[in-house]
Amino acid sequence: AQTVTQSQPEMSVQEAETVTLSCTYDTSESNYYLFWYKQPPSRQMILVIRQEAYKQQNATENRFSVNFQKAAKSFSLKISDSQLGDTAMYFCAFGGRLMNYGGSQGNLIFGKGTKLSVKP
Amino acid sequence: DVKVTQSSRYLVKRTGEKVFLECVQDMDHENMFWYRQDPGLGLRLIYFSYDVKMKEKGDIPEGYSVSREKKERFSLILESASTNQTSMYLCASSWFGEEECEQYFGPGTRLTVT
């Protein structure tokens, strides 16, 4: 069964600095998707970045980038120039072809989350 | 933009009450999901649905049921609420199929059972 592990329950970073959040996963599939979601305090969960496993190039979205190491099954999130608004819970999630119940794909497996605090 | 809405942000119920949590999405998504979120446990899937009137159990379905009478609406039902069901409940939706399994989330309902 697929699993997703986030080994850092909490992290903090100074404003304007760079921080990296770790995520490892386990799967026997060769093609799948990986996601980082952000959940600000008392606010809606939103997608930060997405990586398709068959793409070798690491995904980037403005200040957010990933380091995707397929062989090592590692998917870390780097936040550059951290801002106070980056304070949130961050969840790593895995989605793949085998993630189906009753024939439907589309389910995701989530890690337990990393609580990131950006300090002024 | 995809919009997923949930009927309440905060809800307080008494033990033994029947509780309905409703979720509506406006993007014609086939898949809809109910999760509960607890500190240190992340998101755990309760139930999901990939079509009207279809439902599948997730990882923690005990004590819950669901209803999907219309494509855009997915309801979570606590038949007899208990204090251990105090939690944050998140609804999500997504397209059906292999290619795009990104999920879109509602704002969540924080349920307290006293």
Side-chain angles (χ1 to χ4, degrees), chain A residues 1-3 25-32 73 94 96 98-99:
Chain A
Q2 284 85 353
T3 58
Y25 58 94
D26 190 25
T27 184
S28 58
E29 296 183 50
S30 59
N31 194 22
Y32 46 87
K73 296 179 183 174
F94 171 95
L98 296 181
M99 291 303 304

Side-chain angles (χ1 to χ4, degrees), chain A residues 2-4 92-95 99 101 107-111, chain B residues 35 43 59:
Chain A
Q2 284 85 353
T3 58
V4 176
C92 178
F94 171 95
M99 291 303 304
Y101 293 80
N107 297 323
L108 297 179
I109 292 290
F110 287 86
Chain B
Y35 295 92
L43 276 70
D59 300 316

Side-chain angles (χ1 to χ4, degrees), chain B residues 7-73:
Chain B
S7 50
S8 305
R9 288 301 304 271
Y10 301 93
L11 209 52
V12 179
K13 295 292 182 180
R14 292 193 182 276
T15 301
E17 279 192 83
K18 190 168 186 176
V19 181
F20 293 87
L21 303 182
E22 296 213 320
C23 175
V24 177
Q25 50 93 7
D26 67 357
M27 276 300 290
D28 204 34
H29 284 165
E30 292 85 1
N31 292 338
M32 295 188 75
F33 307 84
W34 275 107
Y35 295 92
R36 66 177 279 175
Q37 181 182 6
D38 300 289
L41 298 179
L43 276 70
R44 293 181 291 169
L45 182 65
I46 304 172
Y47 267 97
F48 81 99
S49 168
Y50 55 91
D51 200 354
V52 175
K53 297 192 185 296
M54 305 304 290
K55 61 184 179 184
E56 294 288 342
K57 293 180 180 179
D59 300 316
I60 52 164
E62 296 78 18
Y64 303 94
S65 62
V66 291
S67 171
R68 193 162 179 204
E69 297 296 320
K70 294 184 177 181
K71 190 175 185 179
E72 68 271 18
R73 188 180 298 270

